[in-house]
Amino acid sequence: MVEIRPANTPASLKTFIELPLSLYRDDPFYVPQLTRELKVHFSEKNPFFRHAKVKFFLALKGGKPVGRIASIIDRLHNDLHKDRTGFFGFFESINNPEVAAALLGRVAEDLKGNGMNLMRGPMNFSTNEECGVLMEGFDAPPMLMMPYNHPWYTDLLAGYGMTKAKDLNAYIHHVIGALPEKVLRVAAIAEKKGITVRPIRKKEFEQDMMIFKEIYNAAWAHNWGFIPISDEELIYSADRLKQIVEQDLTVIAEKDGEPVGFLGMVPDFNFVLRRMGGRLTPVTILKALYHSRRITDLRLLLLGIKPEYRNRGVDALMFREVYEGVKRYKRIEFSWILEDNLPVIRIIEMVGGDLYRRYRIFEKSIG
């Protein structure tokens, strides 16, 4: 028998947060997040909760936790997209269809009881954060803020009757010393048209991140699954990112003083987190200081160009301007990219990125 219980007490929420530590104990590629940060992220201190209703559930078999899931109703999403879509997130399960079905069924029941007619996920908590199930690329650890899961998750979700909603792609670029000549030509054209690029200012980090928010909300407004970032969410995320952002890898493109594009690459801090085991102690802090100097990969985390400035070489110019800093690293991951976002995919291919991982978001009618 599988029992589903709400994780609505400090003790049960702690179990919810720490469950992956046991489920992935023998997986060399799993990257545990810091438990202390997750406790904040799953609390009312996270501004996402101001426009969303979230419930956490645990699955127990023989009294032992064997799975978890969250039910998410995002009012902002439904108001913007004019639908009644609910979400599930933070899904974890042993390789047991009964456990997965019990978890998914509990969320479907909760969503339907709140007027939703479609269940979609996984979303942790929205498309602005980790989302999707890893389908291809189980041979290495995930990069920062990208999902990772056991290979059987796809079968568990499909076995419950969930079908593909959208695939997300990740591309890898091996740093070889210089950008392709085509990128440099396109960048030069943008430069001649008066586009300039400057690094972000750490002393005015919050102000520059507000510029990113403006560009992001304009650039992504018509993308599938888009949810705008609020000022509160931007400040919350900026506080989490400030310590790892490098100025020469995060830039703003401008035309006559007006921000028109934003590009941000961050070192793959997962390389450090893997060695900290989810704990923040004097020993793990020393490990973090030691291993942070040995990070070899980057993730392109932030990219947006205002619609009226697309196809003008703004992206190529930003890549050119950060590439000197990129040379300190060996690889860049471009992620995640909607499978049908052909303009961005062409840019990545022009820079020299190759598809190497794929993720899937599932959905199921519950109406």
Side-chain angles (χ1 to χ4, degrees):
M1 294 291 294
V2 179
E3 180 186 2
I4 304 298
R5 290 184 188 173
N8 55 7
T9 66
S12 59
L13 187 58
K14 183 175 184 290
T15 300
F16 184 98
I17 290 171
E18 295 182 349
L19 180 61
L21 296 177
S22 61
L23 294 183
Y24 293 91
R25 183 182 295 112
D26 300 322
D27 191 322
F29 300 135
Y30 175 68
V31 180
Q33 304 303 298
L34 293 175
T35 298
R36 182 180 295 184
E37 288 191 2
L38 290 175
K39 287 179 178 178
V40 174
H41 199 53
F42 289 168
S43 76
E44 296 296 330
K45 294 179 182 179
N46 183 346
F48 177 80
F49 285 75
R50 292 168 197 170
H51 58 81
K53 181 180 179 182
V54 181
K55 296 179 183 178
F56 303 107
F57 299 98
L58 285 166
L60 294 93
K61 195 172 177 63
K64 177 184 177 182
V66 292
R68 73 176 194 182
I69 201 166
S71 170
I72 304 163
I73 300 174
D74 187 349
R75 295 185 298 276
L76 186 59
H77 175 278
N78 289 328
D79 289 346
L80 179 66
H81 293 277
K82 310 299 181 187
D83 59 17
R84 288 182 291 158
T85 299
F87 301 91
F88 71 94
F90 303 99
F91 173 77
E92 301 286 358
S93 175
I94 62 172
N95 191 7
N96 185 313
E98 182 186 13
V99 172
L103 287 165
L104 293 162
R106 183 64 184 87
V107 170
E109 176 186 334
D110 181 66
L111 296 178
K112 188 174 181 179
N114 282 276
M116 303 297 106
N117 58 23
L118 186 72
M119 178 169 70
R120 181 181 293 161
M123 300 284 184
N124 303 345
F125 289 101
S126 73
T127 52
N128 292 329
E129 301 182 61
E130 290 184 11
C131 53
V133 171
L134 178 64
M135 297 183 66
E136 298 172 5
F138 295 95
D139 56 348
M143 290 208 190
L144 184 69
M145 297 176 67
M146 288 298 287
Y148 180 80
N149 51 262
H150 290 298
W152 59 74
Y153 281 25
T154 300
D155 291 337
L156 292 179
L157 295 173
Y160 182 69
M162 305 204 77
T163 58
K164 172 186 170 180
K166 189 72 70 171
D167 279 358
L168 315 174
N169 295 340
Y171 296 79
I172 199 73
H173 167 75
H174 295 272
V175 180
I176 54 176
L179 283 168
E181 184 61 34
K182 183 177 181 180
V183 177
L184 300 178
R185 289 198 307 269
V186 174
I189 293 172
E191 202 168 31
K192 288 178 181 178
K193 292 179 179 179
I195 305 294
T196 59
V197 174
R198 68 167 177 85
I200 62 161
R201 302 160 295 199
K202 274 293 187 78
K203 292 183 178 179
E204 300 176 28
F205 187 72
E206 189 173 303
Q207 179 181 331
D208 278 350
M209 290 303 290
M210 285 296 178
I211 291 173
F212 159 72
K213 189 205 76 168
E214 173 196 344
I215 295 169
Y216 175 85
N217 285 346
W220 283 66
H222 301 292
N223 279 19
W224 181 88
F226 167 76
I227 297 295
I229 302 174
S230 69
D231 288 355
E232 291 175 322
E233 288 172 304
L234 191 282
I235 293 169
Y236 174 77
S237 298
D239 286 343
R240 301 171 75 198
L241 287 172
K242 187 175 182 178
Q243 301 305 315
I244 62 172
V245 165
E246 297 186 7
Q247 285 182 270
D248 60 344
L249 297 174
T250 305
V251 297
I252 297 171
E254 299 175 331
K255 176 71 164 77
D256 299 327
E258 175 197 354
V260 299
F262 193 105
L263 181 150
M265 298 184 186
V266 292
D268 177 31
F269 203 71
N270 271 5
F271 180 80
V272 175
L273 291 174
R274 283 177 65 204
R275 289 151 178 85
M276 296 179 71
R279 310 298 181 191
L280 195 61
T281 67
V283 172
T284 61
I285 290 172
L286 288 174
K287 286 184 178 181
L289 292 172
Y290 176 79
H291 289 289
S292 62
R293 297 189 294 269
R294 287 159 175 77
I295 296 173
T296 60
D297 293 336
L298 294 170
R299 181 186 168 206
L300 178 62
L301 178 66
L302 310 171
L303 176 63
I305 299 169
K306 289 183 176 178
E308 61 269 32
Y309 285 92
R310 291 173 185 164
N311 302 314
R312 296 193 187 185
V314 176
D315 38 32
L317 182 58
M318 290 192 294
F319 278 119
R320 190 193 75 183
E321 293 304 295
V322 301
Y323 210 71
E324 191 61 37
V326 165
K327 290 179 182 177
R328 300 194 299 270
Y329 297 87
K330 293 182 178 180
R331 301 189 307 168
I332 309 169
E333 179 179 286
F334 301 84
S335 60
W336 49 263
I337 314 297
L338 289 168
E339 61 177 332
D340 50 6
N341 192 343
L342 298 182
V344 172
I345 291 173
R346 291 192 187 102
I347 292 167
I348 292 170
E349 291 175 343
M350 179 177 69
V351 173
D354 297 312
L355 178 65
Y356 89 127
R357 278 184 179 152
R358 190 160 56 98
Y359 306 81
R360 177 161 293 176
I361 295 173
F362 289 82
E363 64 185 18
K364 182 180 180 179
S365 173
I366 56 174

